[in-house]
């Protein structure tokens, strides 16, 4: 491994350890490379992959309670905000939005993006805490 590394001692179920050894053998690679690659492809993206404008808001979710995270994951924009955003999008698509409208649209888009990042990160944190996250179909049927 060429990157900077850190030594870990972990306990694994025997079946997982056997699978790792087997994959290392058949791929003719050291087991630590197999573990590192497995983690790289299976762990969700980190906050360094999120636009910097949203990171501080997401970091604060990490210390929130599980019930707070469920509320965050289920948050929605108020109906009047959604209606205004939709109206601005229609005006933008029609080419009739003035500069002030474009600025408002950009602001409302940033608010919507912020909400989506917070919802997604809350769901990720809940999953890491062992919670079962409903599928999109299940969430749609609830609304």
């Amino acid at each position: 491994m060429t990157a900077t590394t850190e030594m870990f001692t972990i306990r694994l179920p025997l079946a997982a350890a056997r699978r790792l050894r087997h994959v290392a053998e058949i791929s003719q690679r050291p087991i630590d490379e197999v573990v590192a690659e497995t983690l790289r492809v299976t762990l969700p993206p980190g906050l360094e992959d999120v636009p910097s404008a949203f990171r501080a808001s997401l970091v604060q979710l990490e210390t929130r309670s599980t019930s707070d995270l469920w509320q965050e994951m289920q948050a929605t924009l108020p109906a009047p905000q959604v209606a205004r955003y939709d109206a601005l999008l229609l005006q933008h698509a029609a080419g009739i939005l003035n500069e002030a409208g474009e600025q408002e649209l950009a602001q409302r888009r940033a608010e919507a993006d912020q909400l989506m990042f917070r919802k997604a990160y809350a769901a990720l944190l809940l999953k890491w805490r062992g919670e079962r996250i409903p599928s999109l179909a299940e969430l749609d049927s609830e609304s």
Side-chain angles (χ1 to χ4, degrees):
M1 303 183 86
T2 58
T4 303
T5 62
E6 183 175 343
M7 176 77 74
F8 275 93
T9 301
I10 60 171
R11 298 180 194 284
L12 293 174
L14 286 176
R18 281 190 209 110
R19 287 181 67 195
L20 283 169
R21 274 194 211 91
H22 182 70
V23 171
E25 288 170 13
I26 63 174
S27 64
Q28 300 178 352
R29 295 169 50 203
I31 197 164
D32 57 338
E33 285 184 16
V34 172
V35 171
E37 179 66 11
T38 301
L39 291 173
R40 187 188 68 74
V41 299
T42 59
L43 287 176
L47 288 182
E48 63 276 359
D49 298 322
V50 172
S52 59
F54 303 118
R55 286 185 199 147
S57 173
L58 299 181
V59 167
Q60 68 174 259
L61 292 176
E62 294 173 356
T63 58
R64 304 273 299 275
S65 71
T66 297
S67 63
D68 285 350
L69 292 174
W70 276 109
Q71 287 179 341
E72 191 74 43
M73 192 185 86
Q74 296 167 339
T76 59
L77 291 172
Q81 275 185 258
V82 173
R84 178 64 180 153
Y85 183 56
D86 289 343
L88 291 166
L89 283 173
L90 287 172
Q91 291 173 17
H92 174 77
I96 58 172
L97 199 56
N98 63 23
E99 187 175 329
E102 290 288 349
Q103 289 174 353
E104 182 183 355
L105 177 59
Q107 176 62 34
R108 292 192 183 268
R109 180 175 290 132
E111 291 167 357
D113 288 349
Q114 177 79 26
L115 176 66
M116 290 302 107
F117 274 108
R118 288 181 64 84
K119 289 170 63 87
Y121 199 57
L124 179 66
L125 292 170
L126 286 166
K127 186 164 181 64
W128 285 349
R129 292 180 185 185
E131 298 286 320
R132 183 190 168 282
I133 306 303
S135 69
L136 289 176
E138 291 170 320
L139 289 171
D140 283 345
S141 70
E142 291 175 7
S143 43

